[in-house]
Amino acid sequence: MKTKNRHIVCRALCIVLSLLMLLTVTPMTVFAEKTETKTYKTGDIIEFGTYPQSEVTDGELKAKLTELAGSTDGWTSYGYYSRNEETEQPEQGEFMKYVDVECDGEKYRGVYFTAYRPYKTTDAATEDNSNQKYNGYEVNTQYWFKYEPIYWQVLSYEKETGNAVVLSNNIIDSQQYYNNYNERTIDGKTVYPNNYEHSDIRAWLNGTFYNNAFSGKEKDAIIATPLDNSACSEEYSQYDSNSITDKVWLLSYDEAHNADYGFDTEHWSDSETRKAQGSTYALCQGLWKYNSNGCSYWRLRSAGYYYNYACYVDDDGYVFDGGDVYFARFGVRPALNIHLTSEISSAEKYNVGDTVSFGLYPQSEVTDGELKAKLTELAGSTDGWTSYGYYSRSEETEQPEQGDFMKYVDVECDGEKYRGVYFTAYRPYWTNYVATEDNTNQKENGYEVNTQYWFKYEPMYWQVLSYDKETDNAVVLSKNIIDSREYYHKYDETRTDEEGKTVYPNNYEYSDIRAW
């Protein structure tokens, strides 16, 4: 029994621990102050506007909202489409409604439907033709969703103008591109169902979504932007639609491959850069979700290779040049061009789950060969680099001892900060192990001895755990694991503190991790 307990202590204390860091930040207005001089980069996340997202699960709050909303007879129809059995054509109906209610200073949306929204606008409104029941939503039931900040991924930023092109970080709704597969004639010209200029989705983005999501001040910050509405290929140029200027839009086929926007350039590949999950509100609207990774399809504006096909991104991040325009189960990720100022990019209050940017830390690995060469030249010989002082087992003492086998250096280049990492022996995953290839995760993770690696200092993102509006203080947790550390480097050492009390290896006050 003693041997088993010792093994457990060894695993608990000597294994290298991954870190999620916790802070109390005071005051939170520090974020607003920093935005005035902040420079944004591709991949940064900003907060702008609000939209219904998380479902309300608290019974008392739901009851209160239901009482405030009154009879569903007075709620507003979404005007969603379903097949009329008499005309055999999609027609708008009142089977699905919504209402917006304010309660205790927060805004909520109620959703109610008497028939299921079909995932094809050309289908009848039945249970078999819908994703809503599959997603856990039933007819004749009120559901409530909280208006929450929309998070946007920066695709490009102009420092001179302060303007940024941004894409919603998640799928915020589920809508059809156009409601049927019939051609039209407008101004004497044939308009195909995949014509973006005359699409339902364009009207929805610049009308319904725009008016629901943004305040007057926020609308003033959105820049009307010219859009090229060519089809996905010159081969299908008969499906090109006119260039237009909009405030809200969908990305194009080419933009979804744009490396400058942070996307993979190869469209026939599983791409983490394009994968996206939907909100619970979007699921209630009928968004299709792939259960294995929780991701969904999301629409692009470019016409596809057939007259009623428009391009989209699938749940694995592939970009497809054809998908039926009348599918209402495809997600929406709006894009905007906004002028980033402290007034519109800082929040007046924070909610649990909000994301804030605070501080910098080495994160993404540098892969550009020219930049790596430049950083290596700036850093000089690794002999002058700083030792991490990591532990490994000494063969002589048979105890963990600090060594100089792994070093780092920080370098500034073209206004950015980078960290170089170099090691002559592998860092063991248990501090009481010898520094060998068999005792490490580094080699498995793709890192080799006697090689310089470079990592860019990037903004840290923090999840708000609690916020005190009166004091403007927040407890926040790093959104990602930012480093890997031991709790304490020995498993069998007990010490005595200043008061003569025994200090065990799992004592946080005297731990390595607290000191680090």
Side-chain angles (χ1 to χ4, degrees), residues 133 265 302 392:
K133 187 173 179 65
T265 56
S302 303
S392 64

mmCIF file of all heavy atoms in Angstrom, residues 133 265 302 392:
data_model
loop_
_atom_site.group_PDB
_atom_site.id
_atom_site.type_symbol
_atom_site.label_atom_id
_atom_site.label_comp_id
_atom_site.label_asym_id
_atom_site.label_seq_id
_atom_site.Cartn_x
_atom_site.Cartn_y
_atom_site.Cartn_z
ATOM 1 N N LYS A 133 -35.595 19.211 -34.331
ATOM 2 C CA LYS A 133 -35.865 18.137 -33.367
ATOM 3 C C LYS A 133 -34.582 17.367 -33.057
ATOM 4 O O LYS A 133 -34.313 17.000 -31.912
ATOM 5 C CB LYS A 133 -36.938 17.186 -33.904
ATOM 6 C CG LYS A 133 -37.382 16.144 -32.885
ATOM 7 C CD LYS A 133 -38.546 15.333 -33.387
ATOM 8 C CE LYS A 133 -38.966 14.266 -32.376
ATOM 9 N NZ LYS A 133 -39.486 14.879 -31.122
ATOM 10 N N THR A 265 -4.529 27.848 -47.862
ATOM 11 C CA THR A 265 -4.715 28.136 -49.281
ATOM 12 C C THR A 265 -5.285 26.949 -50.049
ATOM 13 O O THR A 265 -5.812 27.118 -51.144
ATOM 14 C CB THR A 265 -3.384 28.557 -49.926
ATOM 15 O OG1 THR A 265 -2.414 27.518 -49.708
ATOM 16 C CG2 THR A 265 -2.875 29.860 -49.308
ATOM 17 N N SER A 302 -19.995 33.500 -53.095
ATOM 18 C CA SER A 302 -19.704 33.230 -54.506
ATOM 19 C C SER A 302 -20.623 32.162 -55.082
ATOM 20 O O SER A 302 -20.898 31.140 -54.428
ATOM 21 C CB SER A 302 -18.249 32.782 -54.666
ATOM 22 O OG SER A 302 -17.369 33.742 -54.148
ATOM 23 N N SER A 392 16.161 17.633 -14.178
ATOM 24 C CA SER A 392 16.252 16.251 -14.644
ATOM 25 C C SER A 392 17.031 15.462 -13.583
ATOM 26 O O SER A 392 17.696 16.045 -12.727
ATOM 27 C CB SER A 392 16.937 16.165 -16.014
ATOM 28 O OG SER A 392 18.285 16.594 -15.929
#
